[in-house]
Amino acid sequence: MNKAIIGFVKTDFKDKILYRIKLDEFNKMAKALGYEVVDEIIQTNSKIDSSYVFGKGKIEELKFLINEYEIDNLLIYNVLSSMQKINLEDYLNVKVLDRYDLILEIFELNAGDSISKLQIELARIERMIPYIRKRASILYFRDRPGPRSLGEYAYHKTIAQLTSRKKRIKEKLEKYRLFKKIQREKRKELNIPIVALCGFYGAGKTTLFNALTNLNKEVKGIPFTTLSSKNYLIKREGKSLIIMDTIGFAFDIDPLIIKSFEVTLEDLKEANLNLLILDASDEEIVFKEKIKTNLDILRKLEIEDKKIIPVLNKTDLIDKEDLINKIQITKDYFVNEGIYISAYYKYNLDILIRKILNFIS
Ligand SMILES: Nc1nc2c(ncn2[C@@H]2O[C@H](COP(=O)(O)OP(=O)(O)OP(=O)(O)O)[C@@H](O)[C@H]2O)c(=O)[nH]1
Ligand SMILES: [Mg+2]
């Protein structure tokens, strides 16, 4: 059994709702990975303990629960330092995974192509090297003069192997990036506009992609189902366009993960138009927070606001009043006027196409 406890140290005393939403998403990810979440430990503290994340009392409570329920995994929403991870593992005797690890596990579950796999491996190695260094420094380098032990040799070998693997992956990704650049230039010569579908995981990007292209790409309802971009040429009203499905965004994605997935995220930059797919059925506060996170990521990628059109999807799930409210909200955040659709029921897609054609002509 894959029993787990979820843990979180909340440092923002004023936050009464947002952390709950983020933890719910975290729970969903854990479940998608097959963990049975038995309990949740949340501590509100002005700062995160640098050794054990939680304060002393909470750690003892955790230890008790872990023994009581025979828990094997501790899933922590905070991103941990190597030291914190090692301390928790050793004191609580469980496998410790933080948000960084959990997202990579989900990515791994969904990764079908070699480029996604390489990017995941890179993100893992980035994390593994400091962790192994820290473990070794505890084992071998503490007040121990004299010749190197066998374990110490093994450690040096492992670090050397990981470092060279990292270098090779980076080279491979760089080659791939160049290959994509050439492809991009060829496409530019053909003068076919690219329309990218971007937004949070689960917003319905692939459902819309399928509806527009008549393809049947995977829609599973598991976070990050789509990891690598998919392009497809369509013709509407005598005009050719490339529709691009892309990787989903999420709350609090670690910069190191974003960096590892640069080659994939860069696809968004080449688009002439970014349709930002929003789940209109989200609660108002979630809806707003997701818009902010989406815009943060798009701005970091240096995508101009005027190239973004918000698309409110899943409107089949909400009533008219809710829809009017959500449309009003989008007006506060976007320069371009939004459009509402249901990708699932193919509602308003003709209007969406019209809007796209108007934009790119
Ligand atoms: N009711 C309703 N459900 C929808 C609609 N569009 C998508 N969905 C559902 O939302 C879930 C996620 O849809 P996807 O198309 O996989 O979402 P995505 O944005 O591609 O997700 P990732 O690939 O994980 O980034 C699926 O269960 C879809 O059936 C819609 O218009 N209405
Ligand atoms: Mg998808």
Side-chain angles (χ1 to χ4, degrees):
M1 203 43 130
N2 238 344
K3 280 192 193 174
I5 288 184
I6 284 183
F8 176 50
V9 177
K10 180 160 87 80
T11 49
D12 183 354
F13 284 80
K14 282 179 278 174
D15 178 8
K16 301 269 184 261
I17 303 169
L18 193 57
Y19 83 95
R20 191 57 260 164
I21 293 160
K22 291 178 177 177
L23 278 182
D24 287 347
E25 300 262 306
F26 196 61
N27 258 289
K28 263 188 235 159
M29 281 191 209
K31 282 191 190 124
L33 284 165
Y35 291 104
E36 185 203 341
V37 178
V38 176
D39 209 340
E40 227 180 45
I41 293 287
I42 300 168
Q43 181 168 41
T44 309
N45 224 339
S46 53
K47 74 178 211 348
I48 293 171
D49 186 85
S50 59
S51 306
Y52 287 91
V53 189
F54 298 91
K56 231 184 163 63
K58 274 282 179 241
I59 282 291
E60 292 311 317
E61 192 184 332
L62 261 171
K63 198 170 176 72
F64 173 79
L65 287 172
I66 284 166
N67 289 329
E68 188 74 10
Y69 293 116
E70 296 175 0
I71 304 287
D72 318 298
N73 307 278
L74 179 58
L75 313 177
I76 300 200
Y77 187 81
N78 310 78
V79 173
L80 309 180
S81 70
S82 301
M83 195 68 240
Q84 288 168 325
K85 199 170 193 177
I86 289 168
N87 286 340
L88 287 173
E89 280 170 348
D90 292 355
Y91 188 66
L92 300 171
N93 209 9
V94 281
K95 194 172 165 197
V96 176
L97 296 148
D98 65 4
R99 189 173 75 238
Y100 190 101
D101 301 321
L102 210 71
I103 285 185
L104 287 187
E105 279 208 3
I106 289 263
F107 280 7
E108 222 145 54
L109 187 75
N110 293 321
D113 63 300
S114 60
I115 293 300
S116 300
K117 285 181 182 153
L118 280 178
Q119 292 179 108
I120 295 167
E121 197 184 340
L122 177 64
R124 275 207 191 284
I125 292 176
E126 295 282 11
R127 235 14 223 325
M128 230 187 273
I129 292 175
Y131 176 87
I132 293 174
R133 283 217 167 99
K134 199 87 215 168
R135 270 251 173 253
S137 79
I138 296 167
L139 274 172
Y140 311 122
F141 307 133
R142 207 174 261 171
D143 311 321
R144 279 246 328 267
R148 284 182 176 184
S149 68
L150 251 143
E152 205 184 324
Y153 275 117
Y155 153 74
H156 285 293
K157 203 172 154 203
T158 306
I159 291 288
Q161 278 168 345
L162 285 175
T163 311
S164 91
R165 178 73 189 145
K166 180 173 146 181
K167 194 168 156 245
R168 245 179 306 146
I169 294 174
K170 282 194 163 168
E171 282 163 6
K172 277 190 188 171
L173 289 175
E174 195 47 45
K175 256 194 205 145
Y176 180 69
R177 170 179 282 151
L178 281 177
F179 161 75
K180 283 187 77 157
K181 202 175 156 205
I182 295 166
Q183 267 192 330
R184 217 174 283 165
E185 253 128 51
K186 274 192 197 149
R187 268 204 297 255
K188 239 185 208 154
E189 279 169 25
L190 292 174
N191 216 3
I192 303 173
I194 299 172
V195 179
L197 311 179
C198 56
F200 256 64
Y201 72 78
K205 300 177 296 296
T206 305
T207 307
L208 179 59
F209 180 82
N210 287 341
L212 294 173
T213 59
N214 287 320
L215 292 176
N216 195 15
K217 296 282 177 201
E218 202 160 28
V219 173
K220 286 194 294 201
I222 290 179
F224 304 109
T225 302
T226 311
L227 277 185
S228 60
S229 314
K230 309 273 180 306
N231 291 320
Y232 199 73
L233 184 85
I234 63 166
K235 268 198 176 136
R236 290 292 143 84
E237 300 179 20
K239 274 204 179 122
S240 296
L241 327 156
I242 290 168
I243 305 287
M244 184 195 277
D245 188 14
T246 59
I247 185 171
F249 304 157
F251 288 124
D252 298 332
I253 288 261
D254 197 88
L256 210 49
I257 293 186
I258 294 190
K259 186 85 191 136
S260 302
F261 273 77
E262 218 171 18
V263 187
T264 301
L265 286 166
E266 269 183 357
D267 286 333
L268 289 172
K269 285 166 79 162
E270 73 165 311
N272 302 72
L273 167 63
N274 288 277
L275 295 180
L276 180 56
I277 316 302
L278 301 166
D279 184 342
S281 71
D282 277 331
E283 260 179 82
E284 184 174 325
I285 175 151
V286 183
F287 185 74
K288 278 188 188 161
E289 286 304 320
K290 284 188 180 172
I291 290 179
K292 285 188 214 158
T293 301
N294 277 317
L295 287 176
D296 263 2
I297 298 172
L298 290 173
R299 280 173 193 154
K300 278 196 190 111
L301 291 168
E302 293 168 359
I303 291 165
E304 297 164 272
D305 284 17
K306 62 171 197 261
K307 277 193 183 172
I308 304 168
I309 293 182
V311 177
L312 285 84
N313 186 33
K314 307 197 190 180
T315 54
D316 55 284
L317 297 174
I318 59 173
D319 60 22
K320 201 173 165 194
E321 195 187 344
D322 195 359
L323 178 60
I324 291 169
N325 179 36
K326 299 279 168 55
I327 291 172
Q328 196 55 41
I329 292 169
T330 55
K331 286 188 178 148
D332 297 336
Y333 293 95
F334 298 94
V335 286
N336 289 315
E337 202 183 317
I339 173 159
Y340 58 95
I341 63 162
S342 165
Y344 190 84
Y345 291 103
K346 301 188 164 80
Y347 172 71
N348 254 2
L349 298 192
D350 44 345
I351 296 178
L352 177 66
I353 288 285
R354 260 264 55 84
K355 190 144 186 151
I356 295 171
L357 292 174
N358 276 342
F359 188 93
I360 57 180
S361 61

